[in-house]
Amino acid sequence: MSTNAQYDSQLETLAQLIEAKAKTIEEAANIVRNAKTTSKATQNTGTDMSKE
């Protein structure tokens, strides 16, 4: 089970990615949605789908 510190770290990483990449609200929302999907895939398979 993840700790608050792990969640905080993940959220900070996501915030930095959004700041660097998103130019619109829609792009920011898509980054969040994709991270959510990637996170689930990583938990279920033990692999990070974003690196493929």
Side-chain angles (χ1 to χ4, degrees), residues 1-49:
M1 181 168 275
S2 296
T3 65
N4 283 345
Q6 288 170 315
Y7 286 130
D8 288 347
S9 176
Q10 291 171 345
L11 288 171
E12 181 58 31
T13 299
L14 184 56
Q16 289 174 5
L17 178 63
I18 291 168
E19 288 174 335
K21 303 269 182 179
K23 304 232 186 306
T24 66
I25 292 171
E26 290 79 13
E27 287 177 354
N30 283 332
I31 289 169
V32 172
R33 287 184 181 108
N34 290 339
K36 179 179 168 186
T37 301
T38 300
S39 177
K40 279 186 175 181
T42 301
Q43 289 174 358
N44 291 336
T45 65
T47 59
D48 186 351
M49 303 300 282

